[in-house]
Amino acid sequence: MRRPGGDRGQVSVELLGMTPLILLTLVLVWQAVLAGYTFTLAGNAADEAVRAGTAVPPGERAGACREAALKHLPDAWRSGAGVPPCGGSGYVTADVDLKVPVLFPGFIDFPVTVHGHAGAVEEAKR
């Protein structure tokens, strides 16, 4: 014997039950996107730093590398960025360390650091 109305509203109840799981999945995907974007930013900043480092004399290299690395970083990543001086003679290397933000860039960072590294050979000046 079936009741009148049977299973009316069942979809609504199931949706309400699944909503936290759907939201958690979206949050985790967004966090993965931020982590991936941070890796991209770190690599690009290191590339920019080493490119600037090969264009200046060795005495001016540290400042030029740091400035070039921070120039293209968004503000949220720039504040916690670590850019040690570029090193090397003949082969210039640059490193950039960035922190991965939690959900909203600029508020809280994970205690995880993403490392970007790049190197380039100095071209001979004629």
Side-chain angles (χ1 to χ4, degrees), residues 48-65:
E48 293 291 334
V50 80
R51 191 173 296 124
T54 58
V56 297
E60 302 170 16
R61 188 171 289 156
C65 285

Side-chain angles (χ1 to χ4, degrees), residues 10 56 65 73-74 85 99 110 117:
Q10 183 65 31
V56 297
C65 285
L73 286 176
K99 295 190 184 243
F110 276 120
H117 176 78

Side-chain angles (χ1 to χ4, degrees), residues 12-108:
S12 298
V13 171
E14 289 175 3
L15 178 65
L16 285 175
M18 290 298 293
T19 300
L21 185 60
I22 293 168
L23 290 176
L24 178 65
T25 303
L26 290 174
V27 165
L28 292 176
V29 167
W30 175 245
Q31 190 59 52
V33 167
L34 282 177
Y37 186 55
T38 303
F39 272 99
T40 302
L41 287 174
N44 184 58
D47 286 341
E48 293 291 334
V50 80
R51 191 173 296 124
T54 58
V56 297
E60 302 170 16
R61 188 171 289 156
C65 285
R66 179 167 178 74
E67 182 181 327
L70 297 177
K71 182 179 179 182
H72 297 289
L73 286 176
D75 292 336
W77 280 269
R78 188 178 302 145
S79 63
V83 184
C86 292
S89 177
Y91 184 74
V92 179
T93 60
D95 296 301
V96 175
D97 295 320
L98 299 177
K99 295 190 184 243
V100 179
V102 177
L103 296 181
F104 301 104
F107 291 108
I108 302 171

